[in-house]
Amino acid sequence: MKPWKIPESVLVVIHTPALEVLLIERADHPGFWQSVTGARETPDEPLLQTAVREVGEETGIVVGLADLRDWAVSNIYDIYPQWRGRYAPGVTRNTEHVFSLCVPRTTAVTLSPREHTACQWLPWLEAADQCFSASNAEAILMLPRILA
């Protein structure tokens, strides 16, 4: 049996200097577009390391700890019902920590087909409109202020 997911995760907004945002489509829910997300593998895995790992796993983009910007922003939200079975019984809320990564527009993206089926680069306002997750959309809308 697979171990329960830890209800603490990262959200990594990958963007270009021109504020184009990379969105990836979930394999298990076509039409659900999002930034890179993922839970800690162990309770003591540093969040920055979780972010580096998830960027690599989901996009194939290899980065170091210093490449990511920690926004010092956390969101607590109800776990979508379709994904609650991945967590221990009674766990209904997740804490998400927000990071960003600036890359050149020419950066190659190699998706994990088990997790995502398509990707697109969109101007930040359009990207926010495409996200199925409110916390993801809010993070993208914060992007220009965070980078200022």
Side-chain angles (χ1 to χ4, degrees), residues 10 12 36-39 49-59 115:
V10 297
V12 183
V36 167
T37 63
Q49 186 60 48
T50 303
V52 166
R53 178 178 50 76
E54 288 294 337
V55 166
E57 288 175 4
E58 294 187 9
T59 68
E115 293 189 64

Side-chain angles (χ1 to χ4, degrees), residues 7 16 33 36 48-49 75 84 90 96 98 102 104 111-112 133 136:
T16 68
W33 291 91
V36 167
L48 195 54
Q49 186 60 48
N75 302 303
R84 283 194 187 149
E96 171 185 80
V98 183
C102 186
L111 299 176
S112 168
S133 160
N136 195 163

Side-chain angles (χ1 to χ4, degrees), residues 36-106:
V36 167
T37 63
R40 284 180 154 166
E41 285 190 336
T42 63
D44 60 345
E45 180 182 35
L47 291 167
L48 195 54
Q49 186 60 48
T50 303
V52 166
R53 178 178 50 76
E54 288 294 337
V55 166
E57 288 175 4
E58 294 187 9
T59 68
I61 300 171
V62 177
V63 298
L65 299 175
D67 297 318
L68 288 144
R69 175 181 269 185
D70 184 346
W71 291 15
V73 170
S74 298
N75 302 303
I76 299 173
Y77 62 86
D78 290 331
I79 298 167
Y80 286 92
Q82 63 262 40
W83 292 303
R84 283 194 187 149
R86 299 175 181 178
Y87 298 85
V91 173
T92 61
R93 297 183 59 82
N94 184 70
T95 302
E96 171 185 80
H97 304 273
V98 183
F99 296 83
S100 62
L101 171 66
C102 186
V103 298
R105 176 64 177 82
T106 55

